[in-house]
Amino acid sequence: MSTPAADRTILVVNVNTSAEVTETIRRSAAAAVSAGTRVVALTPRFGPASVESNYESHLSAVGVLDAVQRHDGPFDAVVHAGFGEVGREALQDVLTVPVVDITEAAAHTACLLGRTYGVVTSLTRAAPAIHDRLLLSGLAGRCVGIRAVDRPVLELDADPESTAKGFVTEAQALVDDHGAEVVLLGCAGMAGVTEAVQAALPVPVVDGVAAAARLAESLVGLGLSTSKARSYAAPQPKPILGWPLR
Amino acid sequence: MSTPAADRTILVVNVNTSAEVTETIRRSAAAAVSAGTRVVALTPRFGPASVESNYESHLSAVGVLDAVQRHDGPFDAVVHAGFGEVGREALQDVLTVPVVDITEAAAHTACLLGRTYGVVTSLTRAAPAIHDRLLLSGLAGRCVGIRAVDRPVLELDADPESTAKGFVTEAQALVDDHGAEVVLLGCAGMAGVTEAVQAALPVPVVDGVAAAARLAESLVGLGLSTSKARSYAAPQPKPILGWPLR
Amino acid sequence: MSTPAADRTILVVNVNTSAEVTETIRRSAAAAVSAGTRVVALTPRFGPASVESNYESHLSAVGVLDAVQRHDGPFDAVVHAGFGEVGREALQDVLTVPVVDITEAAAHTACLLGRTYGVVTSLTRAAPAIHDRLLLSGLAGRCVGIRAVDRPVLELDADPESTAKGFVTEAQALVDDHGAEVVLLGCAGMAGVTEAVQAALPVPVVDGVAAAARLAESLVGLGLSTSKARSYAAPQPKPILGWPLR
Amino acid sequence: MSTPAADRTILVVNVNTSAEVTETIRRSAAAAVSAGTRVVALTPRFGPASVESNYESHLSAVGVLDAVQRHDGPFDAVVHAGFGEVGREALQDVLTVPVVDITEAAAHTACLLGRTYGVVTSLTRAAPAIHDRLLLSGLAGRCVGIRAVDRPVLELDADPESTAKGFVTEAQALVDDHGAEVVLLGCAGMAGVTEAVQAALPVPVVDGVAAAARLAESLVGLGLSTSKARSYAAPQPKPILGWPLR
Amino acid sequence: MSTPAADRTILVVNVNTSAEVTETIRRSAAAAVSAGTRVVALTPRFGPASVESNYESHLSAVGVLDAVQRHDGPFDAVVHAGFGEVGREALQDVLTVPVVDITEAAAHTACLLGRTYGVVTSLTRAAPAIHDRLLLSGLAGRCVGIRAVDRPVLELDADPESTAKGFVTEAQALVDDHGAEVVLLGCAGMAGVTEAVQAALPVPVVDGVAAAARLAESLVGLGLSTSKARSYAAPQPKPILGWPLR
Amino acid sequence: MSTPAADRTILVVNVNTSAEVTETIRRSAAAAVSAGTRVVALTPRFGPASVESNYESHLSAVGVLDAVQRHDGPFDAVVHAGFGEVGREALQDVLTVPVVDITEAAAHTACLLGRTYGVVTSLTRAAPAIHDRLLLSGLAGRCVGIRAVDRPVLELDADPESTAKGFVTEAQALVDDHGAEVVLLGCAGMAGVTEAVQAALPVPVVDGVAAAARLAESLVGLGLSTSKARSYAAPQPKPILGWPLR
């Protein structure tokens, strides 16, 4: 059933238009997959510089669709690299390869490691959208809390040490006060921070991009892909007026 | 607390780019609101001719955002007229007036009329997205089933009599076999069909557009609007690269 | 579908036997409905001076039934004006017009305004009964907390300023500590307090009586009424021994 | 902790005003308790001849309160003998002895015997009220279905053999088609029927009156009673206008 | 339906290999049942000295099976006396008499006494396993918290006064901060402690062993036993390699 | 973060004592992991020839513990290869490497591929135990049904073609009648059958052993292991009387 890893390409799509964030995401994903699996990271051509609201999340969904649909070259799976963002289902409709959302990948992975988990994200206002995705996944009941460092996404990289410190404080509170047995880092592009947070914490720390890239590779390795039977059936061909996507 | 109905405008936004559907929706909404409340219906400038998949739903969300953001003239509330479609939360972020989704409006209304409800929609593949929105609303537990007539949205109008017959058959099955006490018509633009279905059924039939328009008007009348405290806070101003929306 | 507002009468039934509370409730309801809709408020002929326990709640249910069944004159909808009290289902059985419970009306309204809500009520001991009604409605999952000012209902009016202050303190705690995006005032007869609480809070404040009156009017406007198909079918005629109700 | 059974009296209160039904209920309860425990059965002075709707259920709740409050003589526990009826919480407020509802007693008992259970009741329209009580108890998730023989309560006794046959048919369907491992008889006053149904079925059959009487006796034996800390605290003394109850 | 209590024997099986704990459990059970019902307590021949982890819980399950299968003499019901431990289902498969788990017995009993309950147990690490059993029972939604005194099981008896004080502190916190209306003592062998905790608390305190013994006796009295229809059907006879159990 | 696959050994533990089943399981696992990852399959020294009841499941849990604890040689992760069986948590307590249960692995994998899934297993009586594990995982809400071919585990291999046909029939019913978008094969040792069922079905088919082996390898690759913070902390050293396990 297993196919040679060397033939595999995982497309990892950033949700914002920052090439720097895309590169961080690419590095997380590349470090997570097996030797021989290629990671290609995409930046949307249009959309918000960072995604921190429902408004930006919905804009980013079509930026991500556009990026994937314009991508030239074969790929075996797609990672939707926005934590708590909408859009995974849209990709599943138009593709036949597996699509893995980093929020869901992180939560599924956490549930294999501990009975409960908590999430640390950037802004308090991001928590509800994250919670919605966890509710739909079925795994919200195992989430003991979502806490925020309350720094905008684009400032997280400015002072990584202080950022890591903020994440450690919130993560430790999830462990001590809420009984979290695993902590998810609720942002994409946290490669450097993940290691620092893991070093400081007594519980496993899951980076969604790494988890999603590895799960995507696993699905390919297992010869499995998105079910096209109902929810994610291919859309009927129909006129799409004035739209830049192909 | 109540302000004169005559000062009110409800913006009703179609999710597809069919002007005919927009006009049907407008009529449903206009018939539902109080005398003196004005209904203005918008058609997105771009997007799919009909919305019947997750892919089309996500495209439509930005078409709807664009239509509302470009609209010239005052309005007091917005109705998001896509049954089971994404996008309501994005509108809530950028507006300060109430935003009412027709799926949710129909379900909330049904729950005031009966202990359980069922939904009849166009295509089987639309059911999962409808169910997701009901799950997030909290009202999925009172939904006894979602059935489909299995006709594409754009064909529903072609033969209204046969369409109505299809809806009656599925609705009656929800009542008889699943214990539905109320039936929701799970499509926008069903004005003519609603009456025919209601005439044939022993339970209340709720048209989402009518329910949403009336609820939107009610929220305005009560002096209430979307909470901007957390989930739907205004996005931070930030660069949005290459985007046609203002 | 819409009928002229001028023809409509909404019956609003207090659950306790205090005529002063009935008058406050009447004013809330009258301020909430459209011009032309008439509000008639009823006080039960018998029952407790205030309803603050399960015992009193069950007594009040028959007082409310009696008041409605004895009422002379046409009406188009009924508002059951007890927050967290039992009895709405009994009214639905014997009537053919819509019946709206203020607890449920407030919760449904809140869910159109924010992703979560909290409730401030009079006494801690009232919270469980409120929670039961929210559980049955499906909307308990969106309720982040029910807090009490711990003042008996009949003292709330004695010092409105201090009462308002108490409600503001608890409401603010719901917003700050529990993430409430909307606050419900969990008592009937809070007309004066509502405005003061709303003025002090950064989130929408919903008064159940106002919300219920407006929703009742909306259902009438939409031509919708209680489903008589199953849960709320008319009772079979049968001897009712020694009962003062007709 | 255990007190001599001989000192114990269990009050079993019928919800309707039929003395025949009260006697059947009494026999079920008396057969279920230990030797030495006395069962006293009460018939409300007023109320419906049978309880088959929400309207009748709410009337019966005060008839039951009246019967218990007027009862002269000591008692150690109360059984509220209406399947799916409201009122148990009201009794708990005004008493200091345990109060056991037959719906809940049957469901708790069933959950000690099997992983799932189903309910057979008299009328389809009774199912929603039964389901509401199961929802509040937490045990609805283990209920695989509620089916009805669709005969009025007062006709069940007329032809016991045919009644038993009807219950067996529905019970067998719950076992075969829904995976019920235990069946509850969802009416009070089924003493004769219970045996016949049990004889015909391959799974345990629980009679609510028997289960409740025995559980009530057990709580007394364990020295346990209703918590008065919050939900069921004694009501504050206050004027109750024009009420026939003491 | 009721059989003479004098004929009944309840087997109560300790989960650890401490004969002292078995004797304490026996006393709790014997004090809880009716006069004439005999309690026989068993200690497993092998297994951990105390059960405080999943590892020990699974070992204990087979020790309990072995003890029951080797027991010589008739019995009418079995109490599985490990709080939060696995194994009840295995006993149900191989027996035809009722099997009652003390965790579940305590929770079902609590739900007849109050709307909510909390649990005080020995170690924080025991809480998740307790919660799992409550989740499967359906009653986790009524549990407001599980707190621990953080003393190993085998030290609880060493200083009963200090142990009771620890339980009272945590139980009071459940009542005051979490709204618990009933408190469960989440360990077996707490006979002495139960009385002291009950004396200090304003809410009912449930000892699982006492509750289970009484419920087991009640099931026998009602002529009810485990359903053998599906989940707990007798295993097919088959070779069991190298196993000490008969 | 990624370590060379060549250094990895995945221990896959059969739950029954059939060496043939162990070999089939080994082949499934070996085919699923990356080149360079070694799979070692273990057969318990004692326990039932097949695991098809709660009784056998609990016996098997200690057989599995014994097999893993006696295993000589390094390993990086463990797969618990019993579908719907207990015991995963016990392994997690005593190990520091990841432990993956095949039931959970299959369900988590399915949730990445479709919105809903169904399970086909051997015997109807196995369904409840499978459902319990899905309930605890959080993913039962996405499971639309568990159906059985009603053949004992040890006969599945006897006539693989007929077995495959049985699985296809039930799987197709899950897709057609219940809306399953993914199908799980709810037995270990189905290597041959998986391919045949996948070939015949229009939706992805997940084999639990393959999914678990691949997920286990992924966790190792990500440098993640079981949280030892709370639920799965190492047991305190203590006397374990007369036990064959080390």
Side-chain angles (χ1 to χ4, degrees), chain B:
Chain B
M1 195 184 296
S2 183
T3 58
D7 290 356
R8 290 174 203 149
T9 301
I10 310 288
L11 225 54
V12 180
V13 198
N14 184 7
V15 293
N16 68 36
T17 46
S18 155
E20 290 75 18
V21 173
T22 303
E23 175 54 16
T24 318
I25 288 172
R26 192 197 61 73
R27 279 201 308 267
S28 286
V33 296
S34 302
T37 292
R38 204 159 57 105
V39 168
V40 174
L42 304 181
T43 309
R45 290 186 301 153
F46 47 79
S50 65
V51 179
E52 298 169 316
S53 68
N54 301 294
Y55 171 68
E56 293 152 1
S57 186
H58 285 76
L59 298 191
S60 82
V62 297
V64 165
L65 277 169
D66 175 75
V68 173
Q69 291 195 310
R70 279 178 186 270
H71 176 68
D72 204 14
F75 55 91
D76 298 286
V78 174
V79 169
H80 183 284
F83 206 94
E85 310 312 342
V86 303
R88 186 256 302 152
E89 297 92 333
L91 280 171
Q92 285 176 303
D93 279 6
V94 296
L95 298 177
T96 56
V97 299
V99 180
V100 180
D101 171 281
I102 62 170
T103 331
E104 295 163 354
H108 285 291
T109 299
C111 288
L112 297 170
L113 303 172
R115 193 174 166 280
T116 56
Y117 64 92
V119 182
V120 188
T121 189
S122 52
L123 299 179
T124 297
R125 71 154 299 159
I130 293 170
H131 197 238
D132 276 358
R133 292 215 73 82
L134 297 175
L135 270 173
L136 293 177
S137 76
L139 301 176
R142 296 174 70 173
C143 177
V144 295
I146 306 178
R147 296 177 70 102
V149 293
D150 274 318
R151 286 159 197 245
V153 166
L154 296 182
E155 293 175 18
L156 295 179
D157 266 357
D159 182 351
E161 203 173 317
S162 152
T163 294
K165 203 175 291 183
F167 273 80
V168 168
T169 302
E170 300 304 324
Q172 194 69 53
L174 286 166
V175 173
D176 295 344
D177 304 343
H178 302 269
E181 301 183 3
V182 182
V183 169
L184 312 192
L185 297 187
C187 302
M190 303 286 292
V193 172
T194 307
E195 271 171 61
V197 178
Q198 181 63 87
L201 278 191
V203 300
V205 173
V206 179
D207 171 60
V209 172
R214 189 76 196 204
L215 284 181
E217 184 193 44
S218 292
L219 296 176
V220 176
L222 290 163
L224 292 167
S225 190
T226 305
S227 177
K228 305 300 286 185
R230 218 167 102 104
S231 297
Y232 313 123
Q236 293 303 309
K238 70 180 62 161
I240 295 184
L241 195 73
W243 198 257
L245 306 176
R246 61 172 176 187

Side-chain angles (χ1 to χ4, degrees), chain C residues 20-85:
Chain C
E20 291 75 19
V21 172
T22 303
E23 174 54 18
T24 318
I25 287 171
R26 193 199 59 75
R27 279 202 307 268
S28 286
V33 296
S34 301
T37 291
R38 204 161 57 107
V39 167
V40 174
L42 304 181
T43 309
R45 289 186 303 152
F46 48 77
S50 64
V51 180
E52 299 169 317
S53 67
N54 300 296
Y55 171 67
E56 293 152 1
S57 186
H58 286 76
L59 298 192
S60 80
V62 295
V64 165
L65 277 170
D66 174 75
V68 172
Q69 291 194 310
R70 278 177 187 271
H71 177 69
D72 204 13
F75 53 92
D76 299 287
V78 175
V79 169
H80 183 284
F83 206 95
E85 310 313 344

Side-chain angles (χ1 to χ4, degrees), chain F:
Chain F
M1 196 183 296
S2 182
T3 58
D7 290 356
R8 289 174 203 149
T9 301
I10 310 288
L11 227 52
V12 180
V13 198
N14 184 7
V15 292
N16 67 36
T17 46
S18 155
E20 290 74 19
V21 172
T22 304
E23 174 55 18
T24 318
I25 288 172
R26 193 198 60 73
R27 279 201 307 267
S28 286
V33 296
S34 301
T37 291
R38 204 159 57 107
V39 167
V40 174
L42 304 181
T43 309
R45 289 186 303 153
F46 47 79
S50 65
V51 180
E52 298 169 316
S53 68
N54 301 295
Y55 171 67
E56 293 152 359
S57 187
H58 286 76
L59 297 191
S60 81
V62 296
V64 165
L65 277 169
D66 175 75
V68 172
Q69 292 194 311
R70 280 179 185 269
H71 177 68
D72 203 16
F75 55 90
D76 298 286
V78 175
V79 169
H80 183 284
F83 207 93
E85 310 313 341
V86 302
R88 187 256 302 152
E89 297 90 334
L91 281 171
Q92 285 177 304
D93 279 7
V94 295
L95 298 177
T96 55
V97 299
V99 180
V100 180
D101 171 282
I102 62 169
T103 330
E104 295 163 353
H108 285 291
T109 299
C111 288
L112 297 170
L113 303 173
R115 194 175 167 280
T116 57
Y117 65 93
V119 181
V120 188
T121 189
S122 52
L123 299 179
T124 297
R125 70 155 299 160
I130 293 171
H131 197 238
D132 276 358
R133 292 215 74 81
L134 297 175
L135 271 173
L136 293 177
S137 78
L139 301 176
R142 296 174 70 173
C143 177
V144 295
I146 305 178
R147 295 177 71 101
V149 292
D150 274 317
R151 286 159 197 242
V153 166
L154 297 181
E155 292 176 19
L156 296 178
D157 266 357
D159 182 351
E161 203 173 317
S162 153
T163 295
K165 205 175 290 181
F167 273 80
V168 168
T169 302
E170 299 305 323
Q172 194 69 52
L174 287 165
V175 173
D176 294 344
D177 303 343
H178 302 267
E181 301 183 2
V182 182
V183 169
L184 313 193
L185 297 188
C187 302
M190 304 285 293
V193 172
T194 307
E195 270 171 60
V197 178
Q198 180 64 86
L201 278 190
V203 301
V205 173
V206 178
D207 171 61
V209 172
R214 188 76 194 204
L215 284 180
E217 182 192 46
S218 292
L219 296 177
V220 177
L222 290 163
L224 292 167
S225 191
T226 304
S227 178
K228 305 301 287 185
R230 219 168 102 104
S231 297
Y232 312 124
Q236 293 303 309
K238 72 180 60 159
I240 295 184
L241 195 72
W243 197 257
L245 306 176
R246 59 171 179 189

